[in-house]
Amino acid sequence: MTGAVSPDRRRFLTAGAAVLGAAASAQLWLPSAARAAETPLPDGVFSLGVSSGDPLSDGIVLWTRLAPDPLNGGGMPARNVPVEWEIAEDERFRKGVRRGVAQARPEYGHSVHVDVRGLRAGRAYWYRFRTSGQVSPVGRTRTAPSRLSSGGQLRVALASCQNWQNGYFTPYADMLAQDPDVVVFVGDYIYESTPSATAVRKHEGTGEPYSLTQYRNRYAQYRMDPDLAAMHANAPFVVTFDDHEIDNDFAGEIPQDPDKQTHDAFVARLTAGYQAYYEHMPVRATAIPDGPHIRMYRRLEFGRLARLNVLDTRQYRSDQVTTQEAAKNPSLTMLGGEQKEWLLDGLHDSPARWNLIASQIMVAETDLLIGEGKQWFYDAWDGYQAERNALMEEFADVRNPVVLTGDRHLTMISDLKRDYADPDSDVVGAEFVGTSISSNGDQDQAAFHREWDPRMPDNPHWKLLDAHRGYHLFDIRRDGIDAQVRVVDTVLKPTAAASTLAKLRVESDEPGVHLE
């Protein structure tokens, strides 16, 4: 893969059914008998767009969801609907390579997940869907490089935390122009908060989502953001969730407020939230939920250049503690035993030059107390001291570990230290905590720095702090990673000006990150 922008790769086709219908009419994908048997559906079945995800060297997941009435449960009949799909080597679909029919089932919200295989490595493809005489927008995607490929370049965008009510998703417009090969989204795709009359954009509904229909409506609202929809249709996403997809700061089957949500009620909420998450994400069948459980940790290979380990730091964790002494309890776990073993095996056995870890929450220490002593964020890895410190010990024997993180609504870029209790401890890796797409809105930058800059001496591993909205962009090559912090001037309006706030560099086989 390459980060260089070619004209055909930059071009994003947003044509709706009216434009694409003429092209599709020349390619009747189904036999006439099958088409005649279709019962017409309401107009606008592709209102939620298209997307792709989890690229392999020979495959990709294609996604859409039929929803002519997206904010009211979807508006589809309670029956299976056949949906034709097609993927081609060109944007006009003259060089088709795969096509087929998938069933949009009511039990999955009429979502469609097509796991296409037999594709060529490291190249762009175009895809679309058709049903009941309606044609979807065209999407563009890209497969991963050959598993034996060791060179080239990979352009990765890191995104997280997109609160509808805090602002527009303007950073995605700039991300689209930067043309990443893949977008890594590390959590808080939706927010479960109650609609606010004073918000920049008001959440749908009348309260927090609890039922499956309510979660479907919330996801549908987010999916209809034009900048997010365009980005989904232009590059594959690799996604994982954090807390707001369900309930703030939940841990396993424990809600943030157990005095207000019984265990049975929260299990029902988890079941609904995970179901809706699967229905709206371009993920494989391995992620089909089993009641209040969903398998999201997984590994993706980008040749021998990079291995991406995607974590789940919500389902298997111990409940958050509230004191420093409790945070040191060696029995506390963030990952759970099975996921931890899986991660360590994947790091130590990796053939890749770069070992990337997508972690929803921050790994590096955050000491909030100015001067002597420490004050930690207990929902982050600081609240799980023993497991975090053991992981840093393991990083010392891993080639080029780099953690990609969300959650904080801030840019916080750090060296990862073997022992945060020892300021002279070895650096074992780098962490990029990406700022939010829109969460926290337009912050007062001067006020932010007045609050946070005095903490820098107590956190010497921090390299950069900032509170603008945006995302991080990485150009990964064998010799190093060149990172950009891309920010926008506002999320309070539908359009914004973007710029590079900072450039950083991680050298191969030299742990740590440096400002350029």
Side-chain angles (χ1 to χ4, degrees), residues 62 95 97 121 160 186 193 243 264 276 341 404 435 478:
L62 307 181
K95 299 178 181 178
V97 293
S160 65
V186 290
S193 48
D243 53 345
D264 287 350
E341 182 179 359
L404 308 179
T435 184
R478 286 180 59 82

Side-chain angles (χ1 to χ4, degrees), residues 474-498:
F474 306 91
D475 287 309
I476 304 173
R477 304 175 185 85
R478 286 180 59 82
D479 65 340
I481 297 178
D482 290 304
Q484 300 178 53
V485 178
R486 296 288 298 175
V487 300
V488 294
D489 62 349
T490 184
V491 293
L492 303 184
K493 300 177 182 179
T495 59

Side-chain angles (χ1 to χ4, degrees), residues 212 266-276 289 291-293:
L212 177 55
F266 189 63
V267 166
R269 188 178 193 183
L270 285 170
T271 300
Y274 289 151
Q275 176 76 20
H293 306 287

Side-chain angles (χ1 to χ4, degrees), residues 168 180 252 292 306 317 343 365 373 408 435 453:
Y168 296 90
R317 65 158 69 191
L343 174 61
E365 182 176 84
R408 282 292 171 84
T435 184
D453 287 357

Side-chain angles (χ1 to χ4, degrees), residues 28 49 63-64 95-96 126 159 171 214 295 375 394 457:
L28 302 180
W63 175 93
T64 192
K95 299 178 181 178
W126 286 259
Q214 289 172 328
R295 172 66 181 263
Q375 181 183 344
E394 299 283 354

